Amino acid sequence: MPTHATSPSRPRRAPRKRPLVTVSEDDGNRRADLIRVSARLFREKGFDGTTVRDIADAVGMRSGSPFYHFKSKQDILAAVMEEGLVAGLQDTERIAASDLPPREKFRALVRSHLETVLAEGHDFIPVLLHEWRALSPEHQARIIDLKDRYDARWQQALAELKKARLIRSDSKVVRLLMLGAVNFTIQWYKPGKGLSIDQLADQAVEFFLGEPG
Amino acid sequence: MPTHATSPSRPRRAPRKRPLVTVSEDDGNRRADLIRVSARLFREKGFDGTTVRDIADAVGMRSGSPFYHFKSKQDILAAVMEEGLVAGLQDTERIAASDLPPREKFRALVRSHLETVLAEGHDFIPVLLHEWRALSPEHQARIIDLKDRYDARWQQALAELKKARLIRSDSKVVRLLMLGAVNFTIQWYKPGKGLSIDQLADQAVEFFLGEPG
DNA sequence: CCTACCGATCGGTAGG
DNA sequence: CCTACCGATCGGTAGG
């Protein structure tokens, strides 16, 4: 049963959709808009499962227009990942530079990373984790630099924990297991159900380091 | 500069490729072959990044023929995931039923799960972890049953560890963090480089439970 | 940034 | 399981 009466006229264009994002008319933030909505779509449907038309629709452009801002779909993916890493690295370095005691500093790191990965609208790093494989090798190289700096900060934090005798080993494997446990939360954590992000951070730290004192 | 001289004849078919898998001529294992090579391809290129033609090529069929064995690409994905879960569940239940002491039983569980996820040719569970999102809701429901039984076994193992005072808490969050750390190894573990799977299992158990004794 | 379009490719099918 | 094919869709582009 057709929902609309169809007339035999020539193919009619679908009515122009209203943009789903509100932006001041004449600013240059269209690129940032594209990155943000692409992150959300890539996270929800995957890189290959998202079409350039999906992205264009979501920001209220025509299907060819994203290519005015990016020269390929791959470039959008790289921009999404870079955005997430730059922001995450900034947070991480701020915490690393603070003078919190070791356990508190570590807790702050875990909480910050959990927020980077779980908070509403924070789709950049989840896309990095999920769609790394879809990124071309040339783009990967650029992103790996940033990832290495991120990892180095964590390794540094573990060294401080070891010095304070809060962990037995600051081996690379321990770091990978910890970050794995934290990163994998994106597979099961449901915002607003059960633990808050803060509570989850506390439980994770307790699991990693044992009870305080 | 063209590599081949092109003649103005009608489009010529590419020479028939030799199958990449060897199977006895007339057995009914074509379905199993499809599942195995699909698992590998889905893992390498993702579900959306793998075409039915990729799959057909890899088993030496024509592009339409996989649909003689499966009614859709989605059905192949579901079969891959189910295969992995059934095998993993079998291993897990065998270990759970053994009379190993708690710490040894847990170590066996971790090692078994790491092998399920890291060993050569074990692509089924990695596909489950990576492509869950790509599976249709109807298929998901069937797979969730198996997943729940898997999780229940782990929760049971944690309860035994708690009873033996080897962990402080057998909360659901602890299970999720542990399994997350183990599952995330598929993102960084390189077979033949660094630790063996057995060594990794030992290190993980030591990290989760602390030093023995 | 839109219009109009293209070549390539995709999942799937009918008929044998 | 192959042959032959289809309608739909995709990333991307030329020209404005």
Side-chain angles (χ1 to χ4, degrees):
Chain A
M1 171 167 44
T3 322
H4 306 287
T6 49
S7 56
S9 59
R10 78 186 64 126
R12 229 178 296 143
R13 171 168 300 131
R16 184 71 182 282
K17 282 172 193 145
R18 283 237 156 262
L20 297 181
V21 292
T22 330
V23 281
S24 35
E25 209 52 44
D26 52 350
D27 65 8
N29 276 26
R30 300 304 276 156
R31 186 188 156 94
D33 292 337
L34 282 165
I35 293 176
R36 201 180 63 254
V37 305
S38 297
R40 178 170 52 78
L41 291 168
F42 290 162
R43 180 180 197 169
E44 282 171 11
K45 319 205 290 174
F47 178 70
D48 288 317
T50 302
T51 70
V52 173
R53 282 161 178 81
D54 291 335
I55 296 169
D57 276 358
V59 295
M61 286 177 181
R62 299 306 186 126
S63 69
S65 300
F67 295 104
Y68 172 77
H69 299 276
F70 295 91
K71 76 178 218 304
S72 71
K73 196 185 164 194
Q74 273 280 335
D75 276 19
I76 304 182
L77 179 59
V80 165
M81 294 182 179
E82 193 166 335
E83 173 107 353
L85 273 175
V86 167
L89 193 54
Q90 212 165 15
D91 294 344
T92 305
E93 294 193 323
R94 188 175 35 73
I95 294 167
S98 77
D99 56 356
L100 290 167
R103 190 183 177 102
E104 298 313 310
K105 190 187 276 192
F106 181 68
R107 190 206 306 277
L109 271 183
V110 171
R111 189 183 298 147
S112 165
H113 190 71
L114 280 171
E115 251 151 35
T116 292
V117 117
L118 297 179
E120 209 91 6
H122 290 200
D123 300 316
F124 308 100
I125 300 290
V127 169
L128 172 69
L129 297 174
H130 256 105
E131 305 298 330
W132 180 251
R133 189 182 43 190
L135 193 66
S136 73
E138 308 87 66
H139 282 118
Q140 284 188 7
R142 251 186 42 224
I143 307 286
I144 283 175
D145 281 348
L146 289 165
K147 241 170 61 146
D148 285 347
R149 290 173 59 190
Y150 204 94
D151 288 342
R153 289 299 173 193
W154 274 77
Q155 200 66 60
Q156 198 178 40
L158 293 200
E160 288 178 28
L161 288 174
K162 170 113 181 285
K163 211 169 155 192
R165 304 189 155 277
L166 290 171
I167 53 175
R168 286 178 201 76
S169 158
D170 62 340
S171 69
K172 206 176 137 188
V173 173
V174 166
R175 188 196 83 225
L176 289 165
L177 290 171
M178 279 186 181
L179 271 171
V182 173
N183 284 333
F184 205 79
T185 58
I186 65 178
Q187 304 286 356
W188 55 265
Y189 184 78
K190 302 285 172 252
K193 282 191 57 172
L195 298 178
S196 69
I197 292 177
D198 267 24
Q199 288 170 329
L200 177 55
D202 288 347
Q203 295 235 11
V205 169
E206 197 174 309
F207 172 58
F208 294 155
L209 305 187
E211 310 222 11
Chain B
M1 173 166 45
T3 320
H4 307 287
T6 49
S7 57
S9 60
R10 77 186 64 128
R12 231 180 291 144
R13 172 168 300 130
R16 184 69 180 282
K17 281 173 195 146
R18 283 234 156 266
L20 297 181
V21 293
T22 331
V23 281
S24 34
E25 207 52 43
D26 52 352
D27 66 9
N29 277 26
R30 301 303 278 156
R31 185 188 156 94
D33 293 337
L34 282 166
I35 292 175
R36 202 182 62 256
V37 306
S38 297
R40 177 170 52 79
L41 291 167
F42 290 163
R43 182 181 195 169
E44 282 171 11
K45 320 204 291 173
F47 177 71
D48 288 316
T50 302
T51 70
V52 172
R53 284 161 177 82
D54 292 335
I55 296 170
D57 277 357
V59 295
M61 287 178 181
R62 300 305 187 126
S63 70
S65 300
F67 294 105
Y68 171 76
H69 299 275
F70 294 92
K71 74 178 221 301
S72 72
K73 195 185 164 194
Q74 273 280 332
D75 276 19
I76 304 182
L77 179 61
V80 165
M81 294 181 179
E82 192 165 336
E83 173 107 352
L85 273 176
V86 167
L89 193 55
Q90 211 165 16
D91 294 343
T92 305
E93 294 192 322
R94 186 176 37 72
I95 294 167
S98 76
D99 55 356
L100 289 167
R103 189 183 176 103
E104 299 314 310
K105 189 186 278 192
F106 181 66
R107 191 206 305 280
L109 269 185
V110 170
R111 190 183 297 147
S112 165
H113 191 71
L114 280 171
E115 252 150 33
T116 291
V117 116
L118 297 179
E120 209 91 6
H122 291 199
D123 299 316
F124 309 100
I125 299 291
V127 168
L128 171 70
L129 296 174
H130 255 105
E131 305 298 332
W132 180 252
R133 187 184 41 191
L135 194 67
S136 72
E138 307 87 66
H139 283 120
Q140 283 189 6
R142 251 186 44 224
I143 307 285
I144 283 174
D145 282 348
L146 288 166
K147 241 172 57 149
D148 285 347
R149 289 174 59 193
Y150 204 94
D151 288 341
R153 288 300 172 193
W154 274 77
Q155 200 68 60
Q156 198 178 41
L158 292 200
E160 289 178 28
L161 288 174
K162 170 110 183 287
K163 210 167 155 193
R165 304 190 155 275
L166 289 170
I167 53 175
R168 286 179 199 77
S169 158
D170 62 341
S171 69
K172 205 175 138 188
V173 173
V174 166
R175 189 195 83 226
L176 290 165
L177 290 171
M178 280 185 180
L179 272 171
V182 173
N183 284 332
F184 205 78
T185 58
I186 65 178
Q187 303 286 356
W188 55 264
Y189 183 78
K190 302 288 170 248
K193 282 190 57 171
L195 298 178
S196 70
I197 291 177
D198 267 24
Q199 289 170 330
L200 178 55
D202 289 347
Q203 295 236 10
V205 169
E206 196 176 309
F207 172 59
F208 293 157
L209 305 188
E211 311 220 10

